[in-house]
Amino acid sequence: MVGILNVFCFYYYQDVINDSYDDEIESNRFYEKQKKKKQRKTHSLNELLSFISYIINHPDFKKKGLIKSQYLSDENFSPEFEREMKKISKEITKMIKNKA
């Protein structure tokens, strides 16, 4: 059975790292490296941001009408409101991390 990480690594490798669609061996090596990193939790921030960027820009993601949520500061909000929004965001992040 093929897992989601395997599928993601295959497409990411083919689309971003190597333009050649006939290099299944290297694609599998990339998958194995990512699988090990996932177990050790040693992904770099830049690598993870690259993965997120790839996912949110993928045509299938866009077809679903999905978006990447992001809070943008607005000068029309009071400083107190901005502080409270940041607190809420931090609390949500903590809740998500605690579930993982």
Side-chain angles (χ1 to χ4, degrees):
M1 186 169 144
V2 177
I4 189 80
L5 180 62
N6 194 340
V7 172
F8 169 79
C9 287
F10 175 78
Y11 285 108
Y12 183 86
Y13 183 83
Q14 302 300 345
D15 293 345
V16 177
I17 296 174
N18 184 0
D19 222 358
S20 171
Y21 281 88
D22 61 352
D23 200 350
E24 193 171 332
I25 294 171
E26 286 302 316
S27 178
N28 285 335
R29 285 186 185 144
F30 178 74
Y31 163 69
E32 291 298 328
K33 286 180 186 177
Q34 298 309 313
K35 189 168 74 170
K36 288 177 185 174
K37 284 183 182 180
K38 180 181 163 221
Q39 292 168 350
R40 291 191 309 254
K41 299 183 180 184
T42 58
H43 277 102
S44 73
L45 179 58
N46 286 339
E47 187 175 43
L48 292 173
L49 291 174
S50 174
F51 292 167
I52 291 169
S53 177
Y54 175 76
I55 291 168
I56 64 174
N57 289 304
H58 195 276
D60 289 344
F61 187 86
K62 291 180 178 181
K63 282 181 196 173
K64 297 277 185 188
L66 301 172
I67 59 168
K68 176 186 172 231
S69 63
Q70 180 176 354
Y71 175 73
L72 300 174
S73 182
D74 188 327
E75 62 189 38
N76 295 323
F77 295 132
S78 70
E80 182 180 337
F81 180 80
E82 291 282 331
R83 278 192 306 276
E84 291 303 314
M85 290 302 292
K86 287 179 183 177
K87 284 181 188 177
I88 291 169
S89 179
K90 286 180 183 179
E91 287 300 315
I92 291 171
T93 300
K94 283 181 191 176
M95 290 169 54
I96 292 170
K97 285 182 178 179
N98 288 336
K99 286 184 179 183

